[in-house]
Structure formats: structure tokens, C-alpha cells
């Protein structure tokens, strides 16, 4: 797992989570900027997952490759899922959906790092 | 200020979607737990089932309960609501019983499930989630 890229993803997700929770508290429905922000975050996550997949193909696999792959699939799917649900929910709860997704993402990335680090020795 | 979207929802019609509003937020959270709990059980059972059969079977049960709750919330209607109600109740009992047992008797639970230690491995979300779920289902009861 690429350290800098993971850290950037985690920081971006947490910053966006604060933003979305604030928007929820202010009773705002997701606007264009909110939706674009989660698309950008999703793109960042996609790059992260791509780098991880290339790492897998390189040979140095985590001991638990199955679990690692499962987390990769979940990680890349989370932001798009949240985006679809949020677009279906044009109320404050749409922003809460985005906020929760942004809180779950760092956990997933941390888990990926954990699984990858157990490996390598 | 935008208007309060929840203002008119105190008397929800019987056919209002269970999966709208807070229900859609719950859908995401239950979906994430359905996935993580059942994936965890799958890995546990397929790789080292004999180490802790009871804990891993409970893991699988937890996964199924979360899947059922997600489906119930997504489907809505009387049957979806009933499915969500039953699975949220099992979930509540599960997290309280397994949580208590895992603290009292660690011998039977050498490896963790989603509900061990009241879901501390998952930020105690598994403990809070059934209460929120049941509150939402109750709030959403059809008006006679």
C-alpha cells in the first residue's frame, strides 16, 4: 500500500465527512458541489485501489490475499454506492449518507494497510 | 433556510417508503454491515472453522441477520417492514447476549464476531444500530 496516497485519501475523506455532517446539521440537501466532491473522492480511492491491485500483480502478496481483495472491492464500491443513494435522497439525509460513507472509507483504508503490512516480511 | 423536510412526516401514510429519509441512511449502514459481517464469517469458516466453530457460526448468523435487515428496509411494505422488525430484534438480542457472554466467558469465544464485546471492534456501531433501526421501524408504523 502506498503510504502517501493512503494518507491523502484518509485526510480527504475525514475532511469531507466533517463537511457533510455540517451540511446535515444545517438541514441542507446534497447540492452539485457535494456530489462532485464525492465523485472526486471516489476517483482518488479508485487510484489507490488501482495502485494496490498493481502491487498484487507484482508478486508481494499479503498473507490473506482473499480478505485483501474483498476489502479492495468494498473500498472502490463505497463512494459510488453512497453517491447513488444520496442522489435518491434529496433531503438532509442525503448528506448524512455521504458523511457516513466518508467515515467508513478511512476505516477500510486502514484495514487495507493493516492486512498489507502483516504480509511483507 | 430551507424548509424542514421532516416537518410533515409525523403522520406518515401507510405506504410511505420505509427506505426513504433516515431509512436510506440505515440502508447504507446495514448494507456495509451485511457485507462485512458475512464476508468475515465466510473467511473464518472457509479458512479455520475448527478453531472456534461456535463463534464462526454466530458470525455467519450475524451476517444473515444484517442481510435480512437490509433487504427488509429496502423492500418496505408490510412484509419488508416485518422482515426488518424481526431481524433488528434478533440483532438487538444477539449483540446484547453475545456481547455479555464474550465478556463473561472468553473460553467459548476465542475469536471475535461482529457482536463480541458489544461490537467494540466496530466502534460499538453494532450496539447502537438495532436501536436506531427499531426506532425507525416503530416511527414508520402504518397509521390506522
Amino acid at each position: 500500500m502506498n503510504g502517501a496516497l493512503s494518507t491523502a485519501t484518509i485526510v480527504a475523506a475525514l475532511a469531507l465527512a466533517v463537511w457533510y455532517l455540517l451540511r446535515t446539521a444545517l438541514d441542507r440537501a446534497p447540492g452539485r458541489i457535494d456530489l462532485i466532491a464525492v465523485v472526486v473522492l471516489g476517483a482518488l480511492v479508485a487510484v489507490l485501489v488501482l495502485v494496490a491491485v498493481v502491487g498484487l500483480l507484482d508478486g508481494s502478496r499479503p498473507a490473506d490475499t482473499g480478505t485483501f481483495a474483498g476489502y479492495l472491492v468494498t473500498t472502490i464500491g463505497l463512494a459510488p454506492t453512497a453517491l447513488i443513494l444520496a442522489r435518491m435522497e434529496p433531503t438532509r439525509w442525503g448528506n448524512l449518507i455521504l458523511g457516513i460513507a466518508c467515515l467508513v472509507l478511512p476505516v477500510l483504508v486502514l484495514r487495507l494497510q493493516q492486512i498489507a503490512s502483516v504480509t511483507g516480511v | 433556510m430551507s424548509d424542514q423536510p421532516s416537518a410533515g412526516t409525523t403522520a406518515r401514510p401507510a405506504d410511505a417508503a420505509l427506505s426513504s429519509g433516515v431509512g436510506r441512511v440505515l440502508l447504507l449502514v446495514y448494507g456495509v454491515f451485511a457485507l462485512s459481517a458475512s464476508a468475515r464469517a465466510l473467511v473464518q469458516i472457509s479458512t479455520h472453522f475448527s478453531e472456534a466453530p461456535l463463534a464462526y457460526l454466530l458470525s455467519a448468523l450475524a451476517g444473515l441477520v444484517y442481510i435480512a435487515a437490509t433487504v427488509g428496509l429496502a423492500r418496505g411494505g408490510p412484509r419488508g417492514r416485518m422482515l426488518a422488525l424481526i431481524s433488528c430484534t434478533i440483532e438487538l438480542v444477539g449483540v446484547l447476549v453475545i456481547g455479555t457472554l464474550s465478556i463473561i466467558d472468553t473460553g467459548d469465544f476465542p475469536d471475535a464476531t461482529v457482536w463480541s464485546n458489544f461490537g467494540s471492534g466496530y466502534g460499538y456501531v453494532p450496539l447502537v444500530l438495532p436501536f436506531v433501526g427499531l426506532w425507525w421501524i416503530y416511527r414508520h408504523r402504518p397509521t390506522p
Side-chain angles (χ1 to χ4, degrees):
Chain A
M1 293 293 290
N2 187 311
L5 196 53
S6 306
T7 311
T9 310
I10 291 172
V11 171
L14 289 178
L16 277 177
V18 172
W19 168 253
Y20 290 131
L21 294 182
L22 198 69
R23 297 271 293 163
T24 307
L26 293 174
D27 198 6
R28 302 297 165 88
R32 262 187 87 75
I33 294 172
D34 299 307
L35 297 175
I36 290 170
V38 82
V39 170
V40 172
L41 181 67
L44 190 62
V45 171
V47 172
L48 180 72
V49 170
L50 208 66
V51 169
V53 169
V54 170
L56 279 182
L57 297 177
D58 247 14
S60 59
R61 303 204 167 172
D64 213 341
T65 311
T67 310
F68 191 73
Y71 270 98
L72 283 180
V73 173
T74 314
T75 306
I76 202 168
L78 186 65
T81 309
L83 177 67
I84 292 168
L85 283 173
R87 290 200 53 181
M88 290 161 78
E89 188 61 44
T91 66
R92 60 167 20 173
W93 307 118
N95 270 324
L96 186 56
I97 289 171
L98 296 176
I100 287 176
C102 286
L103 288 178
V104 174
L105 256 178
V107 178
L108 292 174
V109 174
L110 285 177
R111 281 292 291 152
L112 278 170
Q113 284 181 320
Q114 269 181 11
I115 301 168
S117 66
V118 188
T119 182
V121 239
Chain B
M1 289 298 284
S2 56
D3 24 319
Q4 298 278 335
S6 54
T9 53
T10 38
R12 296 173 68 91
D15 58 347
L18 188 67
S19 63
S20 66
V22 176
R24 228 185 295 272
V25 181
L26 285 175
L27 210 54
L28 177 71
V29 181
Y30 269 102
V32 168
F33 270 93
L35 191 65
S36 53
S38 40
R40 174 177 203 156
L42 201 68
V43 169
Q44 288 174 330
I45 289 175
S46 63
T47 58
H48 40 272
F49 180 64
S50 53
E51 280 175 28
L54 179 62
Y56 297 158
L57 284 177
L58 284 169
S59 252
L61 173 72
L64 289 177
V65 168
Y66 283 117
I67 291 173
T70 311
V71 171
L73 283 170
R75 274 196 44 169
R79 297 180 69 174
R81 188 175 179 275
M82 185 53 74
L83 181 60
L85 182 62
I86 292 170
S87 35
C88 282
T89 310
I90 296 176
E91 186 197 346
L92 178 61
V93 174
V95 73
L96 292 179
V97 171
I98 307 295
T100 312
L101 285 180
S102 64
I103 287 173
I104 294 174
D105 179 14
T106 46
D108 266 344
F109 295 92
D111 205 351
T113 74
V114 190
W115 290 335
S116 298
N117 300 317
F118 301 107
S120 63
Y122 293 79
Y124 292 102
V125 176
L127 181 61
V128 179
L129 201 52
F131 288 102
V132 181
L134 287 172
W135 163 78
W136 175 247
I137 295 165
Y138 172 75
R139 222 188 92 118
H140 180 268
R141 68 197 179 284
T143 43

